[in-house]
């Protein structure tokens, strides 16, 4: 199934704008959320083809939100790619254990992100 709609979950307006610009130019429809709770709600209401999830956010962090999405009957088939500044190997392993399909460390490179999306 080709990816058309992407949910970007990040508490940073700058990061949301950056990812939205990259993805919009590549032809994707973008939905954004400012935190984990909002991300889960929008994943359920918008049914995106992919979620890009930040980790460090107020309230529900990205690991918790990813775990919730990947274990919920309504959203478990939506792939999640974690996009975070947390670059330690243990962070990556933990993110993948929560159900994330992939893990990118910020600053995210546009070509790398688009290649990962195209490979889904």
């Amino acid at each position: 199934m080709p990816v058309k709609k992407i949910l970007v979950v990040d508490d940073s307006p700058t990061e949301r704008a950056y990812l939205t610009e990259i993805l919009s130019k590549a032809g994707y429809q973008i939905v954004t959320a400012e935190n984990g709770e909002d991300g889960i709600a929008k994943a359920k209401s918008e049914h995106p083809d992919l979620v890009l999830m930040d980790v460090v956010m107020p309230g529900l962090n990205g690991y918790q939100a990813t775990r919730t999405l990947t274990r919920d009957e309504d959203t478990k088939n939506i792939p999640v790619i974690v996009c975070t500044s947390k670059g330690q190997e243990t962070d990556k392993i933990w993110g993948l254990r929560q159900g994330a399909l992939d893990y990118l460390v910020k600053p995210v490179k546009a070509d790398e992100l688009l290649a990962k999306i195209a490979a889904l």
Side-chain angles (χ1 to χ4, degrees), residues 4 6 13 15 20-22 36-37 41 45 48 52 55 57-59 72 77 82 85 92 97-98 101 104 110 117 119:
K4 292 185 177 77
I6 300 174
E15 199 65 31
T20 297
E21 183 178 343
I22 291 169
E37 292 90 345
S45 65
L52 297 181
V55 171
M57 297 184 286
D72 186 293
N77 294 322
V82 172
S85 56
K92 181 176 182 179
R97 279 199 180 151
Q98 305 316 303
L101 191 67
L104 291 171
I117 294 169

Side-chain angles (χ1 to χ4, degrees), residues 4-106:
K4 292 185 177 77
K5 186 192 294 186
I6 300 174
L7 172 60
V8 175
V9 184
D10 200 306
D11 61 324
S12 161
T14 307
E15 199 65 31
R16 284 196 310 273
Y18 172 70
L19 291 171
T20 297
E21 183 178 343
I22 291 169
L23 298 167
S24 296
K25 282 182 180 175
Y28 296 107
Q29 178 186 350
I30 308 304
V31 180
T32 62
E34 296 179 14
N35 57 53
E37 292 90 345
D38 193 26
I40 291 168
K42 288 203 174 159
K44 289 183 177 198
S45 65
E46 296 282 340
H47 304 288
D49 301 311
L50 172 65
V51 176
L52 297 181
M53 181 74 71
D54 184 24
V55 171
V56 183
M57 297 184 286
L60 205 63
N61 72 39
Y63 293 139
Q64 294 166 314
T66 297
R67 186 169 53 240
T68 299
L69 288 175
T70 58
R71 295 184 183 168
D72 186 293
E73 207 50 47
D74 294 335
T75 55
K76 70 179 184 183
N77 294 322
I78 303 169
V80 176
I81 296 177
V82 172
C83 297
T84 180
S85 56
K86 293 176 73 66
Q88 298 292 319
E89 190 63 24
T90 52
D91 297 323
K92 181 176 182 179
I93 291 166
W94 187 244
L96 297 174
R97 279 199 180 151
Q98 305 316 303
L101 191 67
D102 213 330
Y103 194 100
L104 291 171
V105 178
K106 293 177 184 175

